[in-house]
Amino acid sequence: MHYIRLLRPAKFVASPSPSLSLLLTITTDLGDSFLRPPRPVELVVSVDGQPRGREEPGGPSADAGEEATPLPPPPPPFLKPLRPPRWSAGMRVLEVHLPLAPRARPEDVTCRLCIRAVDPPAPLGPDAVLAGRGGSLIVPVGVDVTRGACAAVSMRTLRLRGGGGDALDLGFGEDVGESIARHVWDAGVVAACLVAEGVREAEGAAGPGREAAVGDVLRPFLARPSLHVLELGAGVGILGISLAAALATSVRSSPAAATVLLTDLPEAEERARANMAAAETALARWRRQARDAPGRREVALRYENLDWDAARHGALGPAAAAARPWDLVVLSDCTYNADSLPALVGALGALHARADGGARAPSVLLATKPRHASERALFGLLEDAAWRYRVVRSVPLPKPDGEGQDERVDVYLLEKGVASP
């Protein structure tokens, strides 16, 4: 997969004519390879609603208990570019200028801009990611401009299916810039789609031709009266938040309550918490609009800082060290740094030890995109620590025709000691 990425916040320029400048690249999740399409890819920059969190004063409601309808902002004063922007093989950066109407001022611009390829196969979500039909998937990006102030955070939108089939759009903020920290990565996207579809598969709602392997893994957990899930290395939170959203919109009443705790280092906290808040807003909107919102399951979505080196020695935060055992531990994109693998396996062992090896010892779902041979050290460490593992699902990643070698995301189930529903 490839991602349209902003290399700096959008900025207004006055000369030779007023415009909004976007500096883009199209690259892989780690930025180690640029898109080299067989034919130029035409891009479109569209106005896609209001910025997240923007509230316009609403008129009086007919019912004091009803929510006032926000007034839409005035249309931004953009003019159509003279030529559509195109990305060609060999490019590393592309500057796109959106001209402003005569006499327009930057403070007149309030909107969310979406930058995407002209012909995306589908919105980012299970239909596009898990289809297995090949072809390039270029992930769009959004950016908010509020009264001329350009956000330093860009947005990815993941479209999932909630209970009853109504679409649920989850927004995930990423840091703008060349750093790969606090970004959406391939294994996180694939794992988020798999667990969201897995909840539906476990309820007998799998789409035609779907492989229900992840649903089979989740089914016994969903049958429990309560469910406690811990995510390690959450990053921007795409996996844990998507699982929480799938549980919250599920049409089944069991488990009646669930907790999903995201954990990572302190530098991830601000972005993860912001994305959690956005998900809560999206869920509230979905419940108001869904045709058959069940509203029966309570899902607590939380965050706590956790260092694997400390965790391997039993130093957990108060939420992670709760007296109850964790039913399921999930993680994605956490094996690319071989130096961190001993701490990761140690942290998994410490979480397992809290269950005293009993029947409620946690199982682990691990999603990884194999990148280099050093990652194989993980499996030796797991075997040394008496973990059993197997591949639950392997998902090939889309890529342009003739570009590079095939890539995939592998999802493993890890178990140790006695494991039963």
Side-chain angles (χ1 to χ4, degrees):
M1 295 195 294
H2 289 82
Y3 299 78
I4 302 174
R5 181 171 294 168
L6 289 169
L7 293 176
R8 56 158 168 74
K11 68 177 183 179
F12 287 93
V13 294
S15 178
S17 60
S19 65
L20 179 67
S21 168
L22 304 171
L23 193 63
L24 311 174
T25 188
I26 307 180
T27 183
T28 52
D29 55 355
L30 295 193
D32 52 358
S33 178
F34 298 93
L35 177 66
R36 297 182 59 85
R39 295 173 298 279
V41 173
E42 186 173 315
L43 303 178
V44 60
V45 183
S46 60
V47 177
D48 187 24
Q50 301 183 39
R52 182 178 69 182
R54 174 177 168 79
E55 294 182 358
E56 294 289 342
S61 173
D63 185 330
E66 293 181 3
E67 181 176 321
T69 302
L71 296 175
F78 290 127
L79 299 177
K80 185 176 180 180
L82 295 178
R83 292 182 301 275
R86 288 184 172 88
W87 181 275
S88 303
M91 296 182 69
R92 292 175 175 265
V93 65
L94 173 64
E95 187 169 13
V96 177
H97 286 274
L98 300 179
L100 291 173
R103 295 183 296 279
R105 303 167 301 171
E107 53 266 33
D108 296 330
V109 180
T110 293
C111 63
R112 172 169 291 177
L113 298 173
C114 179
I115 305 100
R116 60 174 178 83
V118 168
D119 296 314
L124 182 64
D127 288 338
V129 174
L130 306 180
R133 293 190 295 266
S136 177
L137 178 60
I138 302 174
V139 180
V141 68
V143 60
D144 288 347
V145 184
T146 304
R147 298 183 178 89
C150 303
V153 175
S154 59
M155 301 296 300
R156 307 286 182 190
T157 300
L158 183 67
R159 175 165 293 179
L160 304 178
R161 279 184 291 270
D166 297 276
L168 171 65
D169 286 346
L170 298 175
F172 295 93
E174 298 183 325
D175 287 3
V176 167
E178 297 187 43
S179 170
I180 60 173
R182 294 171 293 281
H183 275 255
V184 167
W185 293 358
D186 286 353
V189 173
V190 172
C193 293
L194 282 173
V195 297
E197 287 294 283
V199 170
R200 300 182 74 250
E201 291 161 358
E203 298 175 343
R210 295 284 190 196
E211 299 178 38
V214 174
D216 292 339
V217 169
L218 294 177
R219 188 171 290 109
F221 295 102
L222 295 176
R224 295 177 177 179
S226 62
L227 177 62
H228 306 291
V229 182
L230 175 75
E231 182 178 12
L232 295 177
V236 300
I238 188 169
L239 174 53
I241 291 172
S242 297
L243 176 56
L247 292 171
T249 60
S250 168
V251 296
R252 278 176 58 160
S253 58
S254 179
T259 297
V260 180
L261 175 65
L262 279 59
T263 66
D264 207 323
L265 295 172
E267 51 263 36
E269 181 175 4
E270 180 182 7
R271 186 59 40 230
R273 286 190 182 276
N275 290 336
M276 289 164 60
E280 296 286 359
T281 300
L283 281 167
R285 184 184 306 114
W286 180 88
R287 290 189 181 99
R288 291 195 300 269
Q289 298 174 349
R291 294 188 298 271
D292 184 27
R296 292 194 293 259
R297 178 176 292 140
E298 296 294 329
V299 179
L301 182 58
R302 299 171 180 166
Y303 177 89
E304 183 173 75
N305 290 323
L306 181 67
D307 185 293
W308 297 347
D309 273 318
R312 68 193 295 192
H313 299 295
L316 303 173
R324 60 178 181 271
W326 293 99
D327 299 299
L328 187 64
V329 177
V330 298
L331 61 158
S332 65
D333 289 307
C334 289
T335 63
Y336 66 95
N337 182 2
D339 293 339
S340 69
L341 296 180
L344 172 58
V345 175
L348 291 174
L351 290 167
H352 185 276
R354 294 188 61 81
D356 297 325
R360 290 294 294 267
S363 298
V364 179
L365 271 181
L366 179 151
T368 180
K369 174 185 174 181
R371 301 177 191 273
H372 44 76
S374 63
E375 294 177 73
R376 295 296 306 172
L378 170 69
F379 301 100
L381 294 170
L382 290 172
E383 291 169 359
D384 291 344
W387 286 95
R388 305 184 305 276
Y389 58 87
R390 63 181 176 90
V391 175
V392 174
R393 182 83 182 269
S394 186
V395 178
L397 296 175
K399 63 182 181 66
D401 295 335
E403 178 172 299
Q405 62 183 17
D406 292 336
E407 295 181 318
R408 70 185 191 278
V409 169
D410 296 325
V411 180
Y412 290 84
L413 177 66
L414 282 55
E415 295 176 310
K416 179 179 181 179
V418 179
S420 79

